[in-house]
Amino acid sequence: MKKQFTLTILFNFTCFLFLTASSVIFAQNLTLHPLFTDHTVLQQKTKAAIWGMAEPQAEITVSASWGKSAKTRADENGEWKAEIKTPKAGGPFQITLATNSEKIQLNDILIGEVWLCSGQSNMEMPVRGWPPNDLIENSAEEIKNADNNQLRMFTVQHAINRHQQKTIVGDWAVCSPQTAGNFSATAFFFGRKLQQTLGIPVGLIHSSWGGTPAESWTAESYIKKLNDYKDISSILDSAQFEHERLQKWLGEKQAIKVDPSKGDERWKNLEFGGAALATTNYDDANWPESEIPQFWESTEVGNFDGVVWYRKHFTLPDDWHDKDLVLELCAIDDMDRAYLNGQLVGSTELMDLWRVKRTYNVPAGVARAGENVISVRVVDVGGGGGMHGEAADLRIYPAELPENALSLAGTWRYLPTVFYESGVFQPFGTTVADYKAKPTVKMRFNSHTPTVLYNAMIAPLVPYAIKGAIWYQGESNVGRAEQYKKLFPTMIQSWRDAWDESFPFYFVQIAPYRYSGPENTESADLRFAQHQTLHFPKTGEAVTLDIGNVDNIHPGKKKDVGERLARWALAKDYGQKKTPYSGPVCKNAKQKNRQIELSFDIGAEKLVAGDTGLKEFEVVLADDSVAPAEARIDGKKIILTLQQGQAPKAVRYAWKNGSKASLFNSAGLPASTFTILVK
């Protein structure tokens, strides 16, 4: 999850183009939505919608090799939709679509269970992880053994839009050692558990984006009913004019596209001009200045995606110029090239390393006695950007004498030179005058903007038949727990109403992480807001208090996460009623003299304490102060012992950012963070 900032808006018009299916005969006008290709998985025992484009008024016949067919006619715009009955799970099958002059044949179609998988970076995080820091436990072995053609995933490419779209970019991948590394890890382990347990095909539609808040995934007509977002439509409309003016200005600039098919390689060796900005004699005297390290969103640069050059002049000690040096540049979001006196001394041109401190070796002779200049080209393609982290991590020193380091923190000069949006870089100049000529946009549509991800990454999936949805998100709403209590159920309802189906919705409670400090409580507030969503019909919660990492917001135990979500589905949707699916849930608290009895829905046979006993039970007193409480298990209850004179009004458990589970049931499932009034 990249660092979040205040509401910003980055606009992207996604063209309405239906992509042609993979096996096409004579097809020119008859096309299918991208969800329908070879290897598609359709929901079993339902009326599955299939849709696309054709000649206006053309009659389309849909024939399936399982013996069902349907006919429909394209409307005056060429849009068509058919519904075809699907059998019980099985396959592979074929589907043929035809007009009187065109035909498309889809092969290797499976019928089974289809789940939508969405959220932010902990859902997006792939089975291969994001090395070097964000790793999935046992990923190499999991990928090696991932040969399973009964498990398939459609991954939706990132997109945003002010208005609801009808199509997306993405494709179906059959699970194998060659493909599984790029699957969402949480979705992979969830789907694999279902597939292996049920013995039928499972299709996963993965649509997520790291660092995004729940409001981005909520339909506009629903979110504007909430008081905090009542003016959102007018706000977005007013921003559109500014954006269109910016787009007109950029339309005159060169467009440099990155190729997503190249994966991580697409970010390497990108050239945007501006090589002179790295040279020693370049005159940067009129560049703006900024204190570094800090994200550039906190400066006059604001909410900008693209390229910003940084330059720092400094004086090297006289006896260093003939030594091998080490240059440390703190963390850089997202990518960088670093130059000393015009010579490239290091680069990091891979995504997902935005929290990694840069350390580059400088050969003797590159630095010189007296004045030197460091130039850093920073490329950011979403979320926060810039050189950030701790001032102590920004320094230069002789390789053999790190204790003599010279600090580089402080005032740097900077200049934005390239704009980035949706896979396209547009250089706009290498002078301050070029930068100032760029039209001002007070608000920019980006992945944090309310409704834009729903419009571009959820709405286009409707009405594809699904069994239900799983969700892993919440980190980007930490600090806004009261708002989340209404926002999250509103988001769920907007999805269900779009499908006209009250499908099950199972979510992951965010894991412990330090946020503003491990002893602070803003993420506990959010965890409890998530927990309260269980009052909303057909929801379930996978608790992660025992498998988080207080120092890493992307914990590696995604197998546990996915399988805990699968427990809910197996128990609630697939008839396996004996499958434990929930940890203990506190139902009431009663005071008796100097004790408080906590009663639970245990979720298994009995309550179990963690390896170090019951921890982090607290009582909230009348003056809102908090005191620790000794806890013990007594059968199906927890007994808290009060101190003399204490008159608690509530009890709470695991109410810190860095909390760790100490209460489980005998199935090994942890209790959620909770607070409850004392009766």
Side-chain angles (χ1 to χ4, degrees):
M1 182 195 77
K2 294 181 72 174
K3 183 176 178 66
Q4 295 306 295
F5 301 94
T6 56
L7 174 64
T8 58
I9 307 181
L10 165 65
F11 190 73
N12 172 41
F13 284 108
T14 304
C15 296
F16 174 44
L17 296 173
F18 281 118
L19 301 184
T20 306
S22 53
S23 299
V24 182
I25 304 174
F26 308 123
Q28 294 178 347
N29 299 305
L30 178 61
T31 60
L32 283 163
H33 187 281
L35 282 165
F36 304 101
T37 66
D38 291 349
H39 316 305
T40 291
V41 182
L42 296 176
Q43 178 63 35
Q44 67 171 330
K45 295 184 287 187
T46 190
K47 286 186 177 180
I50 299 177
W51 67 96
M53 298 289 289
E55 280 286 329
Q57 304 303 321
E59 185 176 79
I60 299 97
T61 300
V62 183
S63 303
S65 63
W66 59 83
K68 297 295 181 180
S69 63
K71 287 188 177 181
T72 189
R73 187 176 295 277
D75 65 16
E76 63 274 13
N77 298 316
E79 299 181 27
W80 61 268
K81 183 182 75 172
E83 290 185 342
I84 190 165
K85 290 184 178 179
T86 56
K88 66 180 182 180
F93 297 104
Q94 292 179 337
I95 298 176
T96 303
L97 304 99
T99 65
N100 61 0
S101 60
E102 301 175 277
K103 183 166 69 172
I104 297 174
Q105 182 173 294
L106 306 181
N107 301 308
D108 190 32
I109 304 300
L110 296 183
I111 308 296
E113 293 295 284
V114 180
W115 286 79
L116 174 58
C117 315
S118 188
Q120 60 180 111
S121 56
N122 272 306
M123 180 63 79
E124 189 174 23
M125 189 177 182
V127 177
R128 61 178 169 81
W130 290 317
N133 294 330
D134 300 332
L135 305 177
I136 300 295
E137 189 173 81
N138 202 33
S139 63
E141 193 70 16
E142 298 290 0
I143 293 170
K144 177 182 176 182
N145 296 319
D147 193 7
N148 184 351
N149 70 1
Q150 299 290 289
L151 179 64
R152 301 175 180 190
M153 184 175 293
F154 185 99
T155 298
V156 178
Q157 184 173 302
H158 289 175
I160 60 175
N161 208 287
R162 168 68 182 89
H163 303 289
Q164 290 188 21
Q165 299 299 290
K166 295 183 178 181
T167 192
I168 37 84
V169 177
D171 54 26
W172 284 98
V174 178
C175 184
S176 71
Q178 291 72 44
T179 62
N182 291 323
F183 281 19
S184 156
T186 295
F188 168 80
F189 290 117
F190 167 81
R192 188 181 69 177
K193 182 67 173 179
L194 293 187
Q195 195 283 315
Q196 292 178 343
T197 303
L198 302 174
I200 61 175
V202 171
L204 304 165
I205 300 174
H206 168 222
S207 184
S208 66
W209 192 328
T212 55
E215 57 266 30
S216 299
W217 298 95
T218 307
E220 182 176 341
S221 60
Y222 285 76
I223 197 171
K224 68 183 183 181
K225 296 176 184 178
L226 302 178
N227 190 58
D228 288 349
Y229 297 97
K230 63 182 179 181
D231 298 324
I232 191 60
S233 294
S234 60
I235 291 171
L236 299 181
D237 288 342
S238 65
Q240 188 166 337
F241 171 77
E242 288 184 342
H243 172 78
E244 290 173 350
R245 185 176 60 177
L246 173 63
Q247 291 300 308
K248 182 178 180 180
W249 184 76
L250 288 170
E252 303 170 356
K253 311 300 180 184
Q254 177 191 9
I256 301 171
K257 297 181 180 180
V258 295
D259 184 355
S261 68
K262 293 183 178 180
D264 290 342
E265 296 298 312
R266 69 187 184 275
W267 306 111
K268 294 184 177 180
N269 303 315
L270 293 172
E271 298 294 342
F272 311 113
L277 279 64
T279 61
T280 303
N281 59 358
Y282 179 84
D283 183 5
D284 57 22
N286 66 338
W287 282 22
E289 294 182 340
S290 175
E291 294 300 303
I292 300 298
Q294 66 174 317
F295 285 98
W296 68 46
E297 280 78 0
S298 300
T299 73
E300 291 184 1
V301 177
N303 296 294
F304 175 83
D305 297 330
V307 176
V308 176
W309 280 86
Y310 288 89
R311 286 171 62 91
K312 173 78 170 180
H313 297 260
F314 69 99
T315 300
L316 197 74
D318 291 340
D319 58 346
W320 285 17
H321 70 278
D322 59 348
K323 299 181 182 296
D324 292 333
L325 304 178
V326 177
L327 175 64
E328 294 183 356
L329 290 177
C330 62
I332 297 180
D333 192 345
D334 290 297
M335 296 167 281
D336 67 282
R337 291 184 187 176
Y339 302 82
L340 180 59
N341 296 328
Q343 182 169 326
L344 182 68
V345 294
S347 65
T348 301
E349 296 182 316
L350 290 173
M351 285 291 290
D352 305 316
L353 300 178
W354 65 278
R355 291 180 298 148
V356 178
K357 295 183 291 186
R358 281 28 172 187
T359 301
Y360 299 134
N361 295 317
V362 180
V366 175
R368 59 196 184 191
E371 183 175 282
N372 293 257
V373 61
I374 297 171
S375 307
V376 184
R377 190 190 79 173
V378 178
V379 179
D380 175 64
V381 296
M387 301 169 63
H388 65 99
E390 302 296 327
D393 296 325
L394 194 58
R395 59 186 190 156
I396 191 168
Y397 54 85
E400 73 277 12
L401 293 171
E403 64 274 15
N404 290 347
L406 175 68
S407 175
L408 299 173
T411 302
W412 287 59
R413 292 170 179 165
Y414 69 88
L415 183 66
T417 62
V418 183
F419 184 83
Y420 174 83
E421 180 180 19
S422 300
V424 179
F425 290 93
Q426 292 184 269
F428 53 77
T430 57
T431 70
V432 173
D434 293 325
Y435 172 51
K436 290 184 176 180
K438 183 173 68 69
T440 300
V441 177
K442 296 177 182 177
M443 302 181 66
R444 297 182 56 220
F445 289 93
N446 68 12
S447 58
H448 308 154
T449 305
T451 81
V452 296
L453 299 185
Y454 176 86
N455 292 339
M457 297 179 67
I458 298 298
L461 306 176
V462 180
Y464 196 89
I466 61 174
K467 180 69 172 183
I470 60 172
W471 174 258
Y472 196 163
Q473 188 275 339
E475 297 90 346
S476 290
N477 289 89
V478 166
R480 295 185 283 138
E482 286 302 311
Q483 182 188 76
Y484 202 81
K485 290 176 184 178
K486 295 180 179 179
L487 173 61
F488 189 29
T490 298
M491 189 207 82
I492 296 171
Q493 192 62 54
S494 74
W495 290 23
R496 287 175 170 172
D497 288 353
W499 266 270
D500 195 24
E501 179 69 37
S502 293
F503 51 75
F505 191 102
Y506 303 132
F507 59 89
V508 182
Q509 187 183 75
I510 61 171
Y513 179 66
R514 62 175 55 254
Y515 294 99
S516 67
E519 296 300 308
N520 293 334
T521 64
E522 66 268 25
S523 71
D525 295 329
L526 197 284
R527 290 197 299 269
F528 188 59
Q530 293 177 308
H531 183 65
Q532 290 177 292
T533 306
L534 291 175
H535 295 299
F536 206 57
K538 298 179 74 172
T539 57
E541 173 186 55
V543 177
T544 59
L545 271 174
D546 59 325
I547 53 176
N549 181 342
V550 71
D551 294 316
N552 191 334
I553 204 166
H554 301 129
K557 294 181 177 292
K558 293 295 191 285
K559 180 179 179 181
D560 298 88
V561 176
E563 292 189 350
R564 287 177 187 181
L565 289 166
R567 284 174 174 267
W568 278 91
L570 291 169
K572 296 291 187 178
D573 306 300
Y574 298 111
Q576 298 196 10
K577 296 183 178 180
K578 293 184 179 180
T579 298
Y581 56 88
S582 173
V585 177
C586 189
K587 305 305 292 185
N588 59 67
K590 293 183 179 180
Q591 183 174 354
K592 295 183 178 180
N593 299 318
R594 288 179 57 191
Q595 292 185 334
I596 297 176
E597 292 183 353
L598 303 178
S599 299
F600 291 82
D601 282 344
I602 298 175
E605 293 181 0
K606 59 182 181 179
L607 297 173
V608 176
D611 293 341
T612 59
L614 296 179
K615 305 288 186 181
E616 295 196 56
F617 283 88
E618 299 172 308
V619 291
V620 182
L621 305 177
D623 62 357
D624 289 327
S625 62
V626 178
E630 181 181 326
R632 61 182 174 86
I633 295 174
D634 184 6
K636 296 185 177 182
K637 297 181 179 181
I638 297 289
I639 306 298
L640 304 182
T641 300
L642 300 174
Q643 300 298 315
Q644 185 70 36
Q646 285 182 332
K649 62 180 182 180
V651 171
R652 69 186 196 184
Y653 163 73
W655 207 271
K656 294 182 175 65
N657 292 340
S659 289
K660 188 170 183 178
S662 67
L663 176 61
F664 301 79
N665 60 23
S666 50
L669 298 175
S672 164
T673 289
F674 70 83
T675 185
I676 190 167
L677 295 176
V678 176
K679 297 179 180 178

